[in-house]
Amino acid sequence: MEKLKRFTAKDAEETYLVPHWAAGFFRVGEDGELEVTPEGPEGPSASLFEIVQDLRDEGRPLPVMLRFPQILQARLVALNEAFRRAIKKYHYQSEYRGLYPVKVNQRRMVVETLAKAGKPYAYGLEAGSKAELALILAQDLHKEALIACNGFKDDDFIRLALMGKKLGKNVVITLEKFAELERVIRIAQELSVEPQIGIRYKLKTRGTGQWEESGGESAKFGFTTPEIIRAVDILAEAGMLGTIAMLHSHIGSQVTDIRRIKQAVREIAQTYVQLRKLGAPVRYLNLGGGLAVDYDGSKTAFYASANYSLEEYAEDLVYVSKEVCDGHGEPHPILVTESGRAVTAYHSVLVLEVIDTIRPPGEEKIEQPRDTHPVVKDMFDLARGISAKNYREVYHDAFANKDTILNLYDLGLISLRDRATAEALFYQIARKTLRFALEFDYPADELEDLQKMLADKLVCNFSLFQ
Ligand SMILES: *Cc1c(COP(=O)(O)O)cnc(C)c1O
């Protein structure tokens, strides 16, 4: 309990690594409460606890999802400004035109906030289905903002995309599979609309982490190099080579290692150059998603982190594209990315109620029975004799005893009651060890094991699938 009293707001920030993952949108306030600063650390702040209290007073049950549109806007600005700076730094002779992939979060508030905040940047939207495209066509975007159509495309989806183009919107139909090519040519001719075609290229570079299957040669989507050549030939034959406007690739989501990203950019930029040499007037180089969020704040290539910053990502994309194009005397393409999670991840907070706490045993008083197994008796002696001087040895002995007791139990040589007593004693010794260890020097790894073993488990009632 004494330890608890000394736990300060600063300790809370360090324990939960708040400054490392919060990207300036959250902090621990002086009174120890988690605060949100939706416009960044300099802007106004509010206590999440107070927000939740107010909601409860209004009779809203938990769990509740809090959303901060200002954070969406701030992330969108940060992304676009990072590319602006990188373009200036490397004298890149073109621009950046970001896209928000609607599948990442289709909520009206999210899509409308991003459409509005993105207008000064000609920021566009990406549809993965016909329904998403219908939603996007209703948004008030900058005239030059891209509207990209990915995903499986039936005739209706293609028709809707071509209607959007006819209405003067900057719609690109990204071909994901070779079979879509014939369909797009046929419907474009039927409607007499000149399409803008994008080709999704199947990267040989894979991402890292959970979504690594989205990239690489076994990926579901994308054209292989022979398919690209065939598509170019077919379009040339139809007098439509001029409709190839975009080269697209998607390495997978949450790519934690910047080296994979650089590798992918090099590969796709080379393909852009090669397509131009074949006479296709590609203007947009679309690197898809993958920009990772450092959820755990460790700045590593661990799956919940990222070993790079937004700055570094933008600079690498700009620099590598420029280098490849300059090497072949091709013009710098308009750079496109479809960052989803990097734009949305920070804006929502799920608040849950803790409905129960599971505490490890060892806090209760344990009476020594008159007649008990010698190993259990030894545990009692250890528990009684532990001190600041001997606690490490005592803990190691207790650990060994616990193993012995489990083995004896398997052999039927010890009763359930004796085993239970011994386990409770083990936890009691572990608790005392932790108390001493926190006060005196103790090997960090063992300390961490102890803290994990003795941590309370909090039970919450919620579903991640909602
Ligand atoms: C899901 C997806 C994205 C978004 O990926 P993030 O890693 O969230 O940025 C972008 N492009 C395509 C084609 C996708 O399927």
Side-chain angles (χ1 to χ4, degrees):
M1 278 329 247
E2 209 139 1
K3 285 278 160 203
L4 222 54
K5 262 189 233 137
R6 278 188 262 133
F7 195 78
T8 63
K10 192 142 182 44
D11 292 334
E13 284 215 320
E14 279 167 16
T15 302
Y16 300 107
L17 297 171
V18 179
H20 300 278
W21 56 256
F25 297 118
F26 300 92
R27 68 180 175 215
V28 179
E30 275 168 32
D31 53 3
E33 279 174 22
L34 187 62
E35 289 179 352
V36 58
T37 47
E39 291 169 19
E42 312 301 328
S45 67
S47 148
L48 282 179
F49 184 66
E50 280 173 27
I51 294 174
V52 173
Q53 286 296 8
D54 287 349
L55 287 172
R56 296 183 105 181
D57 291 347
E58 287 171 19
R60 298 263 203 120
L62 295 178
V64 67
M65 184 74 97
L66 304 175
R67 293 181 189 279
F68 301 97
Q70 303 92 328
I71 295 182
L72 283 172
Q73 183 169 349
R75 288 297 293 171
L76 182 146
V77 170
L79 177 71
N80 280 282
E81 291 297 332
F83 272 96
R84 264 195 190 174
R85 280 193 297 274
I87 281 169
K88 201 156 163 225
K89 178 170 173 182
Y90 295 116
H91 308 288
Y92 190 78
Q93 301 301 315
S94 187
E95 52 191 305
Y96 170 72
R97 209 65 80 63
L99 283 173
Y100 170 66
V102 171
K103 75 137 196 275
V104 171
N105 189 323
Q106 299 117 327
R107 275 178 178 271
R108 182 173 189 157
M109 185 279 267
V110 174
V111 176
E112 285 181 356
T113 301
L114 292 174
K116 184 148 177 265
K119 225 172 160 180
Y121 297 101
Y123 186 72
L125 296 167
E126 183 255 332
S129 68
K130 197 169 37 188
E132 285 177 7
L133 179 59
L135 174 102
I136 290 170
L137 289 174
Q139 300 299 317
D140 176 28
L141 300 174
H142 188 286
K143 211 173 152 6
E144 284 172 36
L146 278 166
I147 296 175
C149 305
N150 294 358
F152 170 77
K153 285 173 272 311
D154 59 10
D155 285 12
D156 285 346
F157 190 0
I158 294 168
R159 232 170 251 132
L160 187 61
L162 291 169
M163 294 311 288
K165 175 81 188 350
K166 202 168 188 173
L167 290 171
K169 306 212 181 223
N170 194 8
V171 180
V172 174
I173 301 176
T174 310
L175 306 176
E176 309 247 15
K177 287 178 186 289
F178 190 77
E180 291 172 351
L181 176 63
E182 171 278 319
R183 228 175 291 154
V184 171
I185 294 175
R186 172 172 52 80
I187 298 170
Q189 286 171 347
E190 255 170 51
L191 298 177
S192 326
V193 181
E194 172 142 316
Q196 286 196 100
I197 290 178
I199 293 180
R200 179 157 173 176
Y201 165 71
K202 198 178 273 198
L203 288 164
K204 72 174 187 308
T205 309
R206 275 167 174 245
T208 42
Q210 304 202 74
W211 302 94
E212 83 184 71
E213 297 299 317
S214 307
E217 282 164 41
S218 63
K220 278 197 294 295
F221 296 121
F223 282 44
T224 59
T225 53
E227 284 173 335
I228 291 182
I229 296 293
R230 265 168 69 205
V232 167
D233 290 346
I234 289 170
L235 284 165
E237 183 91 355
M240 290 174 72
L241 195 55
T243 61
I244 303 183
M246 180 187 281
L247 184 64
H248 174 246
S249 66
H250 175 59
I251 182 176
S253 202
Q254 184 69 12
V255 178
T256 56
D257 189 348
I258 189 71
R259 286 172 303 181
R260 297 297 182 96
I261 289 174
K262 282 197 218 190
Q263 218 177 327
V265 180
R266 193 164 292 283
E267 190 185 341
I268 182 100
Q270 284 294 353
T271 309
Y272 158 82
V273 163
Q274 294 300 325
L275 258 178
R276 295 219 28 126
K277 286 188 192 300
L278 290 172
V282 191
R283 282 174 292 137
Y284 299 104
L285 185 58
N286 181 347
L287 298 143
L291 175 55
V293 170
D294 189 4
Y295 295 98
D296 68 11
S298 68
K299 299 190 168 45
T300 60
F302 185 63
Y303 78 95
S305 187
N307 67 3
Y308 56 93
S309 63
L310 180 55
E311 236 62 41
E312 193 179 350
Y313 177 80
E315 289 190 5
D316 282 347
L317 261 56
V318 169
Y319 181 80
V320 175
S321 302
K322 175 183 153 82
E323 197 187 38
V324 171
C325 295
D326 289 353
H328 292 269
E330 290 293 342
H332 299 168
I334 295 175
L335 287 177
V336 180
T337 69
E338 303 172 335
S339 301
R341 72 170 71 227
V343 170
T344 57
Y346 297 96
H347 97 281
S348 59
V349 180
L350 178 62
V351 182
L352 317 163
E353 195 162 27
V354 175
I355 54 177
D356 208 349
T357 307
I358 300 171
R359 314 210 63 178
E363 292 189 307
E364 65 284 5
K365 204 170 148 38
I366 308 163
E367 298 289 345
Q368 182 163 358
R370 246 180 298 136
D371 186 26
T372 184
H373 195 282
V375 193
V376 182
K377 193 175 162 301
D378 193 36
M379 281 295 235
F380 274 105
D381 293 341
L382 289 172
R384 265 194 299 268
I386 191 166
S387 72
K389 280 213 180 71
N390 69 4
Y391 69 96
R392 283 190 67 187
E393 292 96 285
V394 169
Y395 178 64
H396 295 155
D397 288 350
F399 204 94
N401 270 355
K402 187 177 73 138
D403 275 350
T404 308
I405 286 164
L406 292 181
N407 287 333
L408 290 171
Y409 183 77
D410 285 347
L411 296 169
L413 298 174
I414 207 165
S415 72
L416 180 60
R417 187 177 291 279
D418 272 354
R419 176 181 159 179
T421 306
E423 278 184 330
L425 283 167
F426 171 74
Y427 275 97
Q428 196 176 80
I429 292 164
R431 280 180 191 283
K432 286 180 181 166
T433 305
L434 180 61
R435 224 169 297 147
F436 288 124
L438 284 172
E439 232 161 291
F440 308 105
D441 259 354
Y442 197 73
D445 52 336
E446 276 186 49
L447 180 61
E448 204 175 302
D449 287 347
L450 268 171
Q451 279 175 321
K452 248 185 224 165
M453 184 172 77
L454 295 170
D456 293 346
K457 291 191 180 67
L458 306 180
V459 182
C460 304
N461 184 7
F462 74 111
S463 164
L464 270 180
F465 297 104
Q466 281 178 8

